Amino acid sequence: MTREELQKRILTILEEEFEFESPGLDDNLRDDHGFDSIDAIELLAKIEKMLGISLSRQEKEQAMTIRTINDILDYIERMQAGRKTSNDSAPRP
């Protein structure tokens, strides 16, 4: 999935599920939209479902640094790249 596709899907989730109005990519989620830790947990669950994966504990802990929508997109891209690298280096049967 391209960054543009991810962005569109994340914005849709934030607008429909969390009632964000015209979110900017660099808006502070907490300060500008009242996003709290419970919202963050719900968003991670939606990201898991959207990507069809289960996040590891470490991946969930890495999400604690997210402050903006761009941070969410960067996080997903890093996570996907890390999983691709892990899968590429896994032994082949």
Side-chain angles (χ1 to χ4, degrees):
M1 191 175 311
T2 68
R3 186 174 180 98
E4 186 176 294
E5 292 167 329
L6 285 172
Q7 178 180 319
K8 186 175 182 175
R9 292 182 78 178
I10 293 297
L11 287 173
T12 298
I13 290 169
L14 292 172
E15 290 169 346
E16 292 179 1
E17 305 290 330
F18 297 95
E19 300 178 2
F20 280 29
E21 293 184 23
S22 303
L25 298 179
D26 290 315
D27 288 359
N28 184 296
L29 298 173
R30 178 177 293 160
D31 295 343
D32 298 333
H33 299 283
F35 206 72
D36 61 23
S37 58
I38 293 171
D39 293 328
I41 292 167
E42 289 178 25
L43 178 60
L44 284 177
K46 292 182 184 308
I47 288 171
E48 286 179 315
K49 185 176 181 179
M50 176 182 76
L51 299 176
I53 61 170
S54 181
L55 298 173
S56 70
R57 181 177 182 87
Q58 182 181 9
E59 288 169 331
K60 289 178 182 176
E61 288 173 359
Q62 292 169 353
M64 297 315 216
T65 61
I66 291 172
R67 299 289 178 259
T68 69
I69 295 169
N70 271 324
D71 290 345
I72 294 169
L73 299 172
D74 293 342
Y75 167 77
I76 293 171
E77 287 180 330
R78 278 193 314 272
M79 185 184 53
Q80 288 180 321
R83 284 173 179 250
K84 184 178 187 308
T85 300
S86 296
N87 290 340
D88 289 346
S89 63
R92 304 274 178 206

